[in-house]
Amino acid sequence: MRYQRPNVVGGLAGWLWLLVIIVPIYYIVVTSLRPQADYYDENPLSIPGNPTLDAYQLVLENEFVRYLTNSVLVTVAAVAVILAVSLMASYYVVRSTSRLAKRTLELILLGIAIPLQATIIPVYYLIVQIGLYDTLWALILPSIAFGIPISVLIITNFVRDIPGELFESMRVDGASEWRILPTLVLPLSRPALMTVGIYQALQVWNGFLFPLVLTQSAGVRVLPLSLWSYQGEFSTNVPAVLAAVTLSVLPILAAYVVGRRQLVSGLTAGFGK
Amino acid sequence: MALSTDQPDIGTRTTAQRTNSSGSGRGGPSFLMAVPALAFFAAFALIPLGGVVVLSFMEWDGLSSPQWAGLAKWEQTLADPVTRHAMWLTFVFTAVSYVFQAPVALLLGVFMAGRQRYRAFLSVLYFLPLVFSAAAVGITFQSLLDPNFGLSRAFNSEFLGQNWLGDPDLALFVVVFVVAWCFVPLHSLLYQAGVRQIPESLYEAATIDGAGRLARFVNITLPQLRYTIITSSTLMLVGSLTYFDLIFVLTGGGPGGATRILPLDMYLTGFRSYDMGQASAIAVILVAVGLALGLALNRLSGASKMESQQAGL
């Protein structure tokens, strides 16, 4: 055992931080269940006297499902493309013997240091020019581009670990590179793909800047931006705003409950040690 | 996962590949495989990166066609008191955030790495902020810190009843705290993973030699975590340039510009004041700072870091 005596200072700090994390989350949930009228009277941290789902009903009646659908569409499309193109690129940079491969990897990894929002003005210009402003494509395409560097970083680290002999033996059997990719590289990189998929899904799902700048109408609004608009719309109805917050967190929370281990190991692996 | 351990050294493999690359057409997968990724990356990251430099020499309101403006936009940007204040704020914000977040994340990570059951349980809860979007967090804290109906009323406390987000002297620190709420969990996870990789034998040996907890922390844990510390610091420092969405929702840069850090200054200048030229100049400054920070920290961590075999977990 690493620690024989209880670590009192660590323990106290740990529980204190837990309080810092939990109080806001608890506040969101109890407030969203409070009737609007009680919001101004009851203690904000008390259990609601007359709990109600009115706030949730109000939010669901106000296009919430459409925003949810938009978020799902954008996330699924972006993540699927990110995984496909990053896996192919990773296979190339790891296994190709050409000098170009090393340059390609360096170029892509450069992207990790580019602050995303610094390029938003030209991206906006580009999206307007190609006529995709205010469409879901305007969110999907740049999200793919910005997902690629970290994905390639994680996946190349996995593909590198596939023993060279496996590739050799497939070559000897006459398999082409396009055959090796789905039959050898894909299955063996599955843990990395899972990790990248979950991480990128979180990034795209929670993205705020692209929707803010590249879309306008409610028809293509995604969840994070919808919270902002609910806040304007229901400015005097705090329980409704916080019900929207709760609803927006639930899908990803459900995903977290299912894939917690993968997500945690993925997040830690993704950034190296 | 077994694949990631016990691997041949990467250096030898690449040398081996290079030596037989001169031969036959079996040079591995074709470049075509990298083309889709490169195309996306070039179209929406690299070309825009060049574009933002060009646009910083343009007069453009975001709607009509951009016009060449020479150095005018740069002179305007560098002379603009709002932008200069934003640069200073960005520096202060980055420094204060780092000084607050880094030790908390490190200590929590070390704590979470302990084997006790309840710590595993705490780790699950610590993780929760990571699933919240910046918009959700911003809205929640806005409501929680409301001087009339927020936390202050729960405890009937004058201290909590301050106008946290409305007072220019307080708002920046509130932002630092909320950013920490969001990002400390991620960094403690990194540290937790780092601590779990430290060989147990080091601690056993130190304990036999009579080293106390503090001594073990200072002499074993900290040195062993140096790469994690560098990785995490890089992410924190470069990341603080990108805390745009959270601050945008929480304060909108206010009150009176008190939380208007550079990324916000860029957004507001471009998309609210319709001066894309000046906004682009601000963006170029952001890229320069980001790259400089990234490179400096990468130099610290050793150039070969990116090739590390460790990342497979």
Side-chain angles (χ1 to χ4, degrees):
Chain A
M1 269 280 110
R2 183 169 292 173
Y3 300 108
Q4 293 89 348
R5 283 176 296 133
N7 181 349
V8 180
V9 181
L12 276 179
W15 288 103
L16 185 69
W17 188 256
L18 181 70
L19 204 64
V20 168
I21 296 290
I22 288 302
V23 167
I25 295 173
Y26 168 80
Y27 170 77
I28 301 172
V29 177
V30 290
T31 308
S32 70
L33 294 170
R34 221 180 281 285
Q36 193 189 354
D38 292 0
Y39 172 73
Y40 298 101
D41 304 324
E42 288 185 356
N43 181 321
L45 292 183
S46 65
I47 304 281
N50 317 293
T52 166
L53 291 174
D54 285 356
Y56 288 90
Q57 196 186 349
L58 183 66
V59 172
L60 288 171
E61 279 167 2
N62 279 274
E63 300 286 349
F64 186 85
V65 176
R66 182 204 295 238
Y67 306 148
L68 179 79
T69 314
N70 286 340
S71 274
V72 170
L73 284 175
V74 170
T75 305
V76 169
V79 171
V81 180
I82 290 173
L83 290 180
V85 303
S86 301
L87 180 66
M88 287 198 294
S90 302
Y91 173 43
Y92 167 73
V93 298
V94 171
R95 295 299 305 174
S96 170
T97 51
S98 114
R99 247 156 222 243
L100 195 57
K102 201 161 185 290
R103 296 284 159 275
T104 304
L105 182 63
E106 284 169 358
L107 184 70
I108 291 179
L109 293 187
L110 181 74
I112 295 174
I114 301 176
L116 170 144
Q117 72 275 69
T119 58
I120 191 67
I121 295 169
V123 167
Y124 164 77
Y125 181 76
L126 187 71
I127 290 288
V128 170
Q129 291 301 312
I130 56 181
L132 293 178
Y133 181 72
D134 208 21
T135 64
L136 291 181
W137 290 110
L139 306 181
I140 295 170
L141 298 177
S143 299
I144 293 171
F146 280 92
I148 287 173
I150 195 91
S151 306
V152 168
L153 173 65
I154 299 172
I155 300 172
T156 47
N157 275 318
F158 254 75
V159 176
R160 242 187 220 122
D161 289 342
I162 300 175
E165 301 81 56
L166 291 179
F167 289 98
E168 296 311 322
S169 62
M170 283 204 75
R171 286 252 174 69
V172 169
D173 291 347
S176 74
E177 52 178 273
W178 294 102
R179 178 108 191 94
I180 293 176
L181 184 68
T183 49
L184 177 68
V185 184
L186 178 71
L188 286 181
S189 348
R190 192 163 289 152
L193 292 175
M194 284 281 289
T195 291
V196 169
I198 297 170
Y199 176 72
Q200 293 299 347
L202 205 60
Q203 294 293 109
V204 177
W205 182 270
N206 285 338
F208 186 80
L209 182 65
F210 288 145
L212 179 69
V213 171
L214 303 174
T215 67
Q216 192 172 29
S217 47
V220 293
R221 198 172 284 160
V222 290
L223 280 182
L225 203 59
S226 78
L227 294 181
W228 200 50
S229 61
Y230 280 128
Q231 199 190 21
E233 209 174 322
F234 303 143
S235 53
T236 55
N237 190 345
V238 178
V241 174
L242 294 178
V245 169
T246 312
L247 284 174
S248 78
V249 172
L250 278 183
I252 203 99
L253 192 65
Y256 167 58
V257 171
V258 176
R260 192 180 81 82
R261 259 168 206 289
Q262 189 69 40
L263 181 54
V264 171
S265 67
L267 283 171
T268 46
F271 297 106
K273 304 275 155 48
Chain B
M1 298 285 175
L3 284 171
S4 62
T5 55
D6 209 15
Q7 280 303 301
D9 177 49
I10 181 66
T12 45
R13 199 191 298 162
T14 40
T15 344
Q17 280 173 354
R18 201 160 291 145
T19 44
N20 63 29
S21 70
S22 49
S24 65
R26 295 163 77 206
S30 99
F31 179 65
L32 278 181
M33 290 220 169
V35 167
L38 282 175
F40 275 110
F41 185 62
F44 293 100
L46 283 183
I47 294 174
L49 195 61
V52 79
V53 177
V54 175
L55 282 171
S56 71
F57 295 100
M58 301 276 208
E59 173 74 54
W60 183 38
D61 60 8
L63 298 166
S64 54
S65 313
Q67 301 290 322
W68 188 254
L71 284 172
K73 285 294 150 190
W74 276 96
E75 283 163 10
Q76 180 190 331
T77 306
L78 295 174
D80 187 341
V82 175
T83 300
R84 290 164 80 136
H85 185 60
M87 286 184 207
W88 169 243
L89 266 187
T90 308
F91 172 73
V92 172
F93 174 73
T94 304
V96 176
S97 280
Y98 183 76
V99 169
F100 180 51
Q101 281 188 57
V104 174
L106 173 66
L107 292 175
L108 269 181
V110 173
F111 174 67
M112 278 159 60
R115 308 272 168 210
Q116 292 90 333
R117 264 267 172 75
Y118 81 98
R119 296 192 193 186
F121 171 71
L122 288 187
S123 312
V124 174
L125 296 173
Y126 285 148
F127 186 91
L128 286 175
L130 285 176
V131 302
F132 281 69
S133 70
V137 175
I139 287 170
T140 301
F141 275 91
Q142 236 180 15
S143 164
L144 199 59
L145 295 172
D146 185 298
N148 298 314
F149 302 106
L151 260 191
S152 58
R153 214 163 39 124
F155 299 106
N156 208 353
S157 141
E158 211 162 294
F159 172 73
L160 287 171
Q162 298 180 79
N163 193 357
W164 293 103
L165 293 168
D167 182 335
D169 293 331
L170 294 175
L172 188 75
F173 295 98
V174 174
V175 168
V176 167
F177 176 79
V178 178
V179 163
W181 192 86
C182 287
F183 291 94
V184 160
L186 171 66
H187 293 276
S188 5
L189 273 177
L190 295 183
Y191 283 116
Q192 183 191 29
V195 171
R196 292 213 166 137
Q197 297 229 318
I198 303 175
E200 197 77 17
S201 53
L202 289 178
Y203 289 98
E204 281 158 12
T207 311
I208 291 166
D209 289 348
R213 175 171 291 117
L214 187 65
R216 278 175 295 173
F217 178 75
V218 173
N219 298 315
I220 301 175
T221 312
L222 278 184
Q224 289 284 322
L225 283 178
R226 65 186 180 280
Y227 288 119
T228 315
I229 293 174
I230 291 166
T231 306
S232 160
S233 300
T234 310
L235 288 170
M236 272 185 195
L237 294 173
V238 179
S240 65
L241 298 174
T242 65
Y243 296 151
F244 165 85
D245 13 13
L246 186 55
I247 305 180
F248 179 77
V249 175
L250 194 61
T251 66
T259 56
R260 184 170 168 142
I261 60 168
L262 272 181
L264 259 171
D265 188 43
M266 179 200 72
Y267 174 82
L268 296 172
T269 306
F271 294 94
R272 291 290 165 82
S273 307
Y274 305 106
D275 189 341
M276 294 291 185
Q278 186 179 344
S280 299
I282 300 169
V284 175
I285 297 173
L286 266 180
V287 174
V289 176
L291 283 177
L293 267 177
L295 285 178
L297 288 155
N298 202 41
R299 181 67 48 88
L300 273 178
S301 66
S304 61
K305 181 83 197 341
M306 285 302 188
E307 305 265 332
S308 158
Q309 286 287 291
Q310 298 288 317
L313 194 82

